[in-house]
Amino acid sequence: VYAGNMFNDYSSRYVHGAVPPELEGLLLSASTPSVLSGRVSYTLGLEGPSITVDTACSSSLVALHLAVQALRQGECGIALAGGVTLLASPDAFVEFSRQRALSPDGRCKPFSSSADGAAWSEGAGVLVLERLSEARRNGRRILAVVRGSAVNQDGASNGQTAPSGPAQERVIRAALEDASLDTRDVDVVEAHGTGTTLGDPIEAQALLATYGRGRAEDRPMWLGSLKSNIGHTQAAAGVAGVIKMVQALRNGTMPRTLHVEEPTPHADWSSGGVRLLTEARDWPSGECPRRAGVSSFGISGTNAHAIIEEYVPEPAPEREHRERVLTGPLAWAVSGHTAQGVRAQAERLHRHVTTRERTDPADVAHSLIATRATHPHRAVVLGRDRETLVANLGGYLRGQPVDEVVTGVADELTRTAFLFTGQGGQRPGMGRELAAASPVFAAALDEALAALDPHLDRPLREVMWAGPGTREAALLDETAYTQPALFAFQVAAFRLLKSLGLGPAYVAGHSVGEFAAAHVAGLWSLPDAARLIAARGRLMQGLREPGAMIAIAATPEEARLTLAGLDDRAGIAAVNGPDSVVISGDEQTCLTVADHWRERGRRVRRLTVSHAFHSPLMEPVIDKFAAELESVTFGEPGVPGVTGLTGLLDTQWTDPEYWLRQIRMPVMFQPMIARLEAQGVRLFLEVGPRAVLAGLAHDCVTGEDVSILSLHRRDRAEPDALAACLAGAWAAGASVDWAALLPGGNPVDLPTYAFERERYWLGPPARVADLSAAGLREVAHPLLEAEVDVAGDGPVVLTGGLSVGAMPWLADHVVAGTVLLPGTALADLVMEAAERTGADLVEELMFEAPLVLPRDGAITVQVVVDPPDPSGARAVRVHSRPTG
C-alpha cells in the first residue's frame, strides 16, 4: 500500500480545543498520516511494503512510482497506490490567499493568459497495480499499463517553493528512458497545470523543451489539466490525472481543458509542438499504442512523471474447453459483511437486472462469483431462467418465504462431514435425472455399475431405473440389490460433489453407507469395494429368517431393559438419537416389544426392510463374509472417517475384524454425530438418494450454528435439489466451485458493494474558555454552562447554549414539525436555579411561550433569579435568543 497524503488539519483542530473524552489516548494514532497506509494494510490483511508518502502535491504520483518499483522487484504481488486530500479547516485557503496564489473566482485556468491562481479541492483515488504478466494470468480486467515513471527533486533552485524548469525536464526524460520511449511516442500530457502565474509558464516551457521537440506539424503533443474541471486536489492530484487519462483511453477522447481564453504569453509556444486542448479531440486506437504523460510537481520540490499506455490485449489463447459439470438452475450468489449488507447488495442487484433486460442471467451468475469478493453473510437465489431469478430475488427482498433462496452466515473454520445413507434410503429412478444433467455423475455411475454388475445376476441399472409396477422395480427393496444400488449412487454423487469443489473433512456412514464412505476415503479400490458390497447384500439376502426392524421413541437404556434376556433373538440395531432407537431380530419378539412401547404411548414404526440387520439373525453371514474380506486389499484412508460402531475417529476401518462386527453390532449414529461435532464439524451433508440421516442428525446435534443438508428434496428434481444443497453449503462457509456450473461465462458490469455508511468524522471541537478569567463560575448542568455573579444585591444569572447538533436528543421532542425544548427541561433549569439560591420549593411555574430550537444553529438561554422580596420569595425568569 502506497498512500499519498499531505498536511493534516483534521486532528490539529483539537490542539487548542478539548479532546472528546472517548478519544483520549486515541487521537494521535488514529490521525497520524503515517498510520494511513498502515490502517489500510491492517484492514485488508496486507503484509508487503506499506508507506505513506508526503511530497505535497506530487504525493500520489510518487506513491504510484514506488508501487511500480516494488512490483518490479518482487516485494509484493499486487499493490494499491493512491492519494487523498480532505480539507477539515479553511487554513489552506487562508494561507494560500496570503501568498496571492488563490484564484479569486475559485476556478483553475491552466496555461491561460487569464490564470490568476489555484483553487483547492478535495478527493481520494486508488489504483490497483499488478505485473502485466500476472494480471493476464489471473484474468484481470486491465484498464491501462504504467509504461514508465520517474521522480526527482528541484534541489537548490531559485526558491524553496518555486518550481524548477530544468528539474521538470529531467524527470520527464527519466520517465521516458524508464519506458524506453521517445518524446514523439506520447500523444498527450496531463499536466500539473494549477493555473498559477508562476508555475504554469515554467511547466509549459519544460514541456516545450521535451515533448515539443522534433514533432511533425500535424502531430503536436496535446496538453490539458484536470484541475480546470475539479480544482487542485493536492495530494490526490496525481492519481486523479492517471484516472483521467485511463478514462480518456477507454473513451477514445482527449478531454478539453476549461477556462482557457488564450495561451499564457509567458511561455514561448512557438518553440515546440505543444498545443492546448481547448476543445475535446478524438483519440482513436491506431497501429501504435496510445500513450499519455502525467505530471505532478510538489511544493516540496519533489517532481514525478508517469507514462500511461493503452493496453493492447494479446491474442487470447484457445481456452481449454471445460465441460459443464451440471446442467440445472442458475445461482445468483451475493454476500455482505452483515445481514443488512447482503440485503442491500441484493437490492442493488435487483435494480440492476430489472433495468437491463438484455443482461444474460448466466453472465450475471458468473460475474457474481468471478468478479466479486465473498463475505460472511450470504444469500443464493436459484432459478432456471431470468424471470424466475428476478421473481425469487424480489420475493426475498419483500421478506416472503422463497424455497429457491438460501441464506446463511459462513464460518471460515467450518468443517464438513459427508454422511452416507444406509439401507432404507433407496428410491425408484434414483440417479436418473442427475445422470442426464451431469456428465461427471453419469461417468462415475457407469464406472460403479460396471464394477458391480459382474457380481449380480442382472444389470443393476435395470433395477435402479425400472418403471413403476415392474418386477425389476420391486427388486430394488431386496437387499441383494438395495446395497449395491445405494453404493453406486453414493460413489457417483461423491465424485460429482468433488468436481463442484465441495469436499469433506470427514466421512461417515450409517450401516451399509459405511462401505461407500470407506471406499471414497481410499480404504478399498472400486473393484474391491464393489465385490464386498455385492457379497454382503447377497449373503444377507440368502438368510432364511428375515426378521423385523422397528423404530421406537425410547432411550437406549429404556430399550435395553425391555430386551433383557432376549439377546439371542433381538437387540438394539441403531441408536439414532437421544430418544430414538431401532430394535432388530426375530419378528414375533420385536413385535411384542413394540406393543409394550405402544401401550405406553410411545411412537413406534416398523421399517420397510427385507431383513433384521444388526441383530442376532445376522450371525450366519459373518463367517462367509470373512472369506470375502480376505480377497480384498486394504489401503490407508486419505480422508478421516468416524465409525458407526464406537463413534470414535477411525483407527479400525483397516482391520477386517471391524467389518465383521459392523454386520452384527448396533449403529451408534448419535455418538458418531457427537464426535464429529467435537472435531469442529458444523456442516453435515447427507450423500444418498433420499433424506434419511438429515432428519436424524437434527435430533443429535447440539450446536445452534450447525447446518444439515441433503442431496434429495421430495418436491424437486435431482439437479435442482443438488443446486439447493450447494447453495446451502456455500452459505454455511463451504467451498463451492460455482464456475463448474457455468464454464465460459462472460464477465459483465454489476453493482459495486453496498457499503453501510457510518459517520466517524469528528465534529468541531468545543471551545475551552477560562470562565474564572471572565468573572464567571462553571455550572455542572447539561443545559447550562456558567453563573454570573452580579455585584451588590443584583439578580443571579445562569447562562448556557442549546443546539440540536450538540445535543441530538433534543430533536426527539417535535410538535407539528418544530423542535421544542420539553417543559420538563425548562422546569429542570428552574430547579437548578432554585438550588443555587438556597430555595427549596418552586411554588408556581407558568409557560408563556414554547422555547423553539432551530434545526441548525443554536440559542442562548438565561435563567434570571431576582433578589428575594420581603417574604423571602424570589421571582425567576427564563429567556432565550438565537446565538449571535
Side-chain angles (χ1 to χ4, degrees), residues 208-561:
L208 287 162
T210 50
Y211 285 112
R213 300 300 187 198
R215 303 188 78 97
E217 185 69 24
D218 62 345
R219 197 170 176 273
M221 194 279 294
W222 294 100
L223 177 62
S225 174
L226 180 63
K227 296 176 182 65
S228 72
N229 303 95
I230 65 172
H232 190 353
T233 53
Q234 303 165 72
V239 68
V242 173
I243 292 172
K244 173 187 172 182
M245 286 296 98
V246 169
Q247 290 298 93
L249 287 168
R250 296 177 69 190
N251 291 287
T253 301
M254 298 180 193
R256 64 174 290 209
T257 297
L258 307 181
H259 317 310
V260 178
E261 296 178 358
E262 293 181 356
T264 174
H266 303 296
D268 183 4
W269 296 98
S270 64
S271 63
V274 176
R275 301 290 182 268
L276 287 175
L277 279 165
T278 55
E279 297 294 336
R281 298 186 62 85
D282 290 338
W283 195 15
S285 295
E287 295 182 2
C288 297
R290 296 169 293 166
R291 300 183 183 94
V294 181
S295 290
S296 275
F297 307 131
I299 199 172
S300 64
T302 300
N303 309 305
H305 190 75
I307 297 171
I308 308 302
E309 182 177 277
E310 172 187 12
Y311 172 63
V312 180
E314 292 183 338
E318 191 169 329
R319 227 175 0 180
E320 181 182 352
H321 176 70
R322 184 178 182 185
E323 192 173 24
R324 190 169 181 174
V325 173
L326 177 71
T327 301
L330 296 172
W332 285 357
V334 294
S335 65
H337 284 286
T338 64
Q340 294 81 4
V342 72
R343 186 173 184 83
Q345 197 68 20
E347 288 174 349
R348 284 192 171 194
L349 177 63
H350 188 264
R351 284 196 301 270
H352 181 85
V353 295
T354 52
T355 55
R356 294 168 176 81
E357 295 185 358
R358 294 184 179 181
T359 304
D360 188 333
D363 289 342
V364 173
H366 168 80
S367 302
L368 284 169
I369 291 299
T371 67
R372 290 293 178 268
T374 303
H375 306 294
H377 290 261
R378 301 176 181 180
V380 183
V381 182
L382 301 171
R384 287 185 172 267
D385 52 50
R386 184 183 184 280
E387 290 70 23
T388 304
L389 285 160
V390 172
N392 291 339
L393 181 58
Y396 162 70
L397 293 173
R398 290 189 296 271
Q400 299 171 350
V402 181
D403 288 341
E404 287 74 20
V405 177
V406 180
T407 60
V409 181
D411 183 352
E412 293 181 357
L413 302 178
T414 289
R415 293 184 175 183
T416 303
F418 282 5
L419 305 178
F420 291 79
T421 316
Q423 201 148 334
Q426 70 276 8
R427 59 177 171 80
M430 60 188 192
R432 179 166 44 206
E433 294 170 335
L434 278 179
S438 170
V440 173
F441 182 90
L445 183 63
D446 288 346
E447 187 181 3
L449 293 176
L452 287 163
D453 282 349
H455 307 289
L456 303 172
D457 61 2
R458 68 186 66 218
L460 186 57
R461 192 190 308 268
E462 294 180 2
V463 177
M464 294 173 62
W465 294 356
T470 63
R471 181 175 182 278
E472 285 77 10
L475 292 176
L476 184 59
D477 290 330
E478 292 189 8
T479 300
Y481 300 100
T482 303
Q483 296 190 14
L486 286 170
F487 176 84
F489 177 93
Q490 290 166 341
V491 169
F494 177 84
R495 304 297 177 207
L496 175 56
L497 290 170
K498 287 284 286 183
S499 71
L500 291 165
L502 189 55
Y506 298 93
V507 292
H510 195 290
S511 186
V512 69
E514 267 196 287
F515 281 78
H519 161 63
V520 300
L523 183 68
W524 301 303
S525 67
L526 181 59
D528 281 352
R531 182 185 301 112
L532 286 178
I533 200 69
R536 189 177 190 271
R538 183 178 63 253
L539 292 170
M540 292 181 175
Q541 184 71 43
L543 291 172
R544 295 180 179 177
E545 188 178 359
M549 298 185 75
I550 300 176
I552 301 173
T555 66
E557 293 75 16
E558 290 174 329
R560 289 190 187 98
L561 291 176

Side-chain angles (χ1 to χ4, degrees), residues 494-839:
F494 177 84
R495 304 297 177 207
L496 175 56
L497 290 170
K498 287 284 286 183
S499 71
L500 291 165
L502 189 55
Y506 298 93
V507 292
H510 195 290
S511 186
V512 69
E514 267 196 287
F515 281 78
H519 161 63
V520 300
L523 183 68
W524 301 303
S525 67
L526 181 59
D528 281 352
R531 182 185 301 112
L532 286 178
I533 200 69
R536 189 177 190 271
R538 183 178 63 253
L539 292 170
M540 292 181 175
Q541 184 71 43
L543 291 172
R544 295 180 179 177
E545 188 178 359
M549 298 185 75
I550 300 176
I552 301 173
T555 66
E557 293 75 16
E558 290 174 329
R560 289 190 187 98
L561 291 176
T562 56
L563 290 168
L566 304 174
D567 295 348
D568 59 336
R569 284 174 285 169
I572 294 178
V575 177
N576 289 332
D579 55 358
S580 176
V581 297
V582 175
I583 63 171
S584 178
D586 169 70
E587 182 176 23
Q588 189 56 51
T589 302
C590 290
L591 292 175
T592 300
V593 173
D595 288 341
H596 165 78
W597 287 108
R598 189 177 290 108
E599 291 171 0
R600 296 182 61 178
R602 300 295 181 89
R603 188 175 64 255
V604 175
R605 179 175 59 89
R606 182 167 181 172
L607 304 184
T608 306
V609 292
S610 59
H611 289 77
F613 305 111
H614 302 283
S615 78
L617 303 188
M618 290 289 109
E619 291 180 359
V621 171
I622 293 177
D623 290 340
K624 296 177 182 179
F625 192 63
E628 297 289 343
L629 288 169
E630 292 176 359
S631 64
V632 300
T633 301
F634 285 77
E636 285 295 331
V639 179
V642 175
T643 72
L645 298 187
T646 62
L648 300 176
L649 274 175
D650 179 41
T651 56
Q652 305 172 67
W653 274 3
T654 54
D655 183 0
E657 183 64 27
Y658 172 82
W659 298 101
L660 299 178
R661 293 175 57 219
Q662 198 253 13
I663 293 173
R664 170 66 180 84
M665 300 299 291
V667 178
M668 305 300 289
F669 183 74
Q670 183 192 10
M672 177 202 304
I673 296 298
R675 182 61 177 176
L676 287 168
E677 275 199 277
Q679 294 299 319
V681 171
R682 293 296 178 269
L683 174 59
F684 294 90
L685 194 158
E686 181 177 2
V687 183
R690 284 180 53 218
V692 176
L693 303 183
L696 301 178
H698 275 289
D699 295 331
C700 296
V701 296
T702 58
E704 295 182 357
D705 57 344
V706 173
S707 298
I708 302 172
L709 305 172
S710 174
L711 294 184
H712 177 253
R713 291 278 294 270
R714 286 183 182 179
D715 56 343
R716 297 191 190 183
E718 288 179 338
D720 296 69
L722 174 61
C725 181
L726 293 173
W730 183 76
S735 174
V736 173
D737 182 10
W738 292 107
L741 299 174
L742 291 167
N746 299 310
V748 294
D749 286 332
L750 292 177
T752 53
Y753 187 77
F755 288 102
E756 297 174 63
R757 307 296 178 181
E758 185 173 352
R759 182 178 174 85
Y760 290 99
W761 188 265
L762 298 178
R767 291 187 59 192
V768 179
D770 185 356
L771 296 180
S772 61
L776 307 175
R777 283 189 291 177
E778 184 177 357
V779 175
H781 187 276
L783 304 181
L784 299 170
E785 295 174 0
E787 177 181 347
V788 182
D789 285 329
V790 181
D793 294 328
V796 174
V797 180
L798 305 177
T799 183
L802 303 179
S803 73
V804 173
M807 291 169 275
W809 56 269
L810 291 173
D812 293 342
H813 190 245
V814 179
V815 177
T818 301
V819 181
L820 302 181
L821 187 70
T824 51
L826 284 166
D828 194 54
L829 293 176
V830 174
M831 290 297 295
E832 176 70 17
E835 184 176 344
R836 285 187 163 270
T837 55

Side-chain angles (χ1 to χ4, degrees), residues 144-186:
V145 177
V146 180
R147 180 65 185 263
S149 63
V151 170
N152 75 358
Q153 165 64 221
D154 288 345
S157 60
N158 66 334
Q160 171 67 58
T161 61
S164 167
Q168 293 181 17
E169 293 180 32
R170 288 193 298 271
V171 78
I172 291 171
R173 292 194 177 98
L176 288 166
E177 182 179 355
D178 183 56
S180 299
L181 295 173
D182 183 78
T183 55
R184 290 166 293 185
D185 296 322
V186 177

